[in-house]
Amino acid sequence: MINTITAIALIVLVLSRLPAATNRAAARPAWIASALGLLGLLSIGVLIPIPIADSWLGGSNVLFLFRTLFPVAAFWFLRDAVALQAGRPPRRRRMLLVLLGMVLMQSAAFFVIPERGSTNLEFVDHHMVYAAGLVWAVVYVGQLMWISVDIMVILRAVPDRLFLTFRLGGVGIVIGGASLLTHCVLIFVGTIKPVADDPAWLLFNAFFYPGILLVTLGFVALVLRETIPATLWSFRARYLRRLLSAYALSPTRLDQGIVTNDPLQETYESSIALRNSQVVSGFQLAASDARRLRTIEGLLDKKLGDLS
């Protein structure tokens, strides 16, 4: 149920944030992380059953490779999104070569696993008896743990309470990841049988997925904290522009072809254009429009005061 709700939230974020991701480079890491996170949830059977999804990929358990690739790639871009929110400069584009190398490492280990067979919900455990299966698990979990630790290091001196979810989630991922590696090694050396509910497996379930969920919820909250105010300013800017049009007033700089992709600036310029036109022509707004304009101006004064 929680996974389904999270998937729906990510669908909404992916669709609603597409314009921002198209126009603003700073919004792209969060958007890419949302899209990859959504694909990661789909790959574990959320909304689409695993046998059906794997059949689309040939029915040879290739879906399980995507179950490890998508989370790592999503966390990679999530790390960039969090770093931007924490005031860190963006990583250089050549760092994408590191991500490509991580993808290739996982893929190489996966495709040399022998006897992958047809779709099997217990594929991972049953193939930890092979060295290639163990290497695949170590590479995947190691990558995810490394990115999680990197996120925690970035946030170590950031006081924002919202980032606490990322720290707690990162700790859960590290503990759960170490437990999963222990479980896989125990299967490989023959200490336990595949699909065994040993203490390491129980620790993995207790920490790993709750950790990922905490990070995901923190990420959704982070995006919403930025998206909701921007959306409200867009509504206000659109309303003021309608007033300018309705009263046939002078256009703002934005109407003259200067595009900022900043709804706050658009709201500010439209309110100034309205007031300037009132001074020049002496026209009066309808009472309801005048009240709403004063409300918007009050919000602008508060917002601009906070930014100064």
Side-chain angles (χ1 to χ4, degrees), residues 201-213:
W201 179 253
L202 296 177
L203 277 175
F204 164 72
N205 282 310
F207 285 94
F208 190 78
Y209 289 117
I212 287 183
L213 182 61

Side-chain angles (χ1 to χ4, degrees), residues 10-63:
L10 289 175
I11 290 172
V12 173
L13 285 178
V14 168
L15 295 177
S16 64
R17 296 293 290 170
L18 180 58
T22 302
N23 296 319
R24 293 172 46 224
R28 286 170 197 157
W31 187 86
I32 296 172
S34 300
L36 291 169
L38 174 60
L39 292 173
L41 284 173
L42 295 178
S43 70
I44 63 172
V46 178
L47 303 181
I48 303 173
I50 290 174
I52 294 176
D54 191 56
S55 69
W56 296 342
L57 300 171
S60 58
N61 292 299
V62 174
L63 181 66

